[in-house]
Amino acid sequence: MDIKPKQFPNEYETTFILTPELPGDEQKSAVDKFIQLIKDNGGTVNNTEHWGMRKLAYPINKKSSGYYVFVEFTGNGEFVAVLDQAYRYDERVLRFLTVKMDKHHFEFNKKRREQGFGLRKEAKNIS
């Protein structure tokens, strides 16, 4: 009799940086690839934010800027290793970080989303 331990989904956030030379359609295909990977492995994407082109704190592979993408998702812990491996094998990804969120982190992100993080800067530019 094979008894597998029951797995409970956890809340995660992942941020990855794409190379700055990618045209818009390749940026979108890279983001879609990782989102589809999350969905194909039983995860649920709760939020996706394109933070856009930002200057890096230090050069990575002789690049001083990168395209930042932030994704919140629900999934099993074993899937994080699969996602990290997919980031490592994709040459378009400069850096990545995936973090398991505790209840305080989850509430903070929920409040941040409701307050429109990232929209204030754009609103100032319009007025």
Side-chain angles (χ1 to χ4, degrees):
M1 184 171 176
D2 187 23
I3 299 174
K4 291 184 177 181
K6 189 171 183 174
Q7 296 181 354
F8 296 99
N10 295 311
E11 301 288 333
Y12 294 94
E13 69 175 30
T14 183
T15 304
F16 56 95
I17 307 170
L18 299 172
T19 59
E21 293 92 14
L22 291 176
D25 56 338
E26 281 199 44
Q27 288 174 349
K28 183 176 179 346
S29 73
V31 173
D32 290 345
K33 173 189 165 188
F34 294 118
I35 288 175
Q36 191 61 43
L37 182 66
I38 292 169
K39 291 178 180 175
D40 289 346
N41 286 282
T44 305
V45 176
N46 302 325
N47 182 30
T48 304
E49 296 176 10
H50 294 258
W51 291 351
M53 198 67 71
R54 292 183 176 205
K55 186 177 178 180
L56 302 173
Y58 54 89
I60 301 172
N61 296 339
K62 298 181 181 178
K63 294 173 178 58
S64 60
S65 63
Y67 187 82
Y68 283 68
V69 179
F70 174 80
V71 178
E72 292 177 73
F73 66 96
T74 305
N76 292 322
E78 295 174 352
F79 169 66
V80 174
V82 173
L83 183 62
D84 287 353
Q85 188 176 25
Y87 285 144
R88 284 192 182 96
Y89 289 151
D90 196 323
E91 294 178 350
R92 299 173 291 187
V93 177
L94 291 176
R95 286 287 191 270
F96 62 91
L97 180 66
T98 303
V99 178
K100 180 181 173 184
M101 295 190 288
D102 63 7
K103 67 178 182 181
H104 303 293
H105 191 161
F106 182 76
E107 289 299 321
F108 174 80
N109 277 1
K110 183 178 175 185
K111 188 181 290 184
R112 186 180 59 84
R113 275 195 312 268
E114 291 170 355
Q115 292 177 351
F117 173 76
L119 299 176
R120 294 182 197 142
K121 197 172 194 179
E122 294 172 6
K124 286 181 183 176
N125 291 338
I126 293 172
S127 59

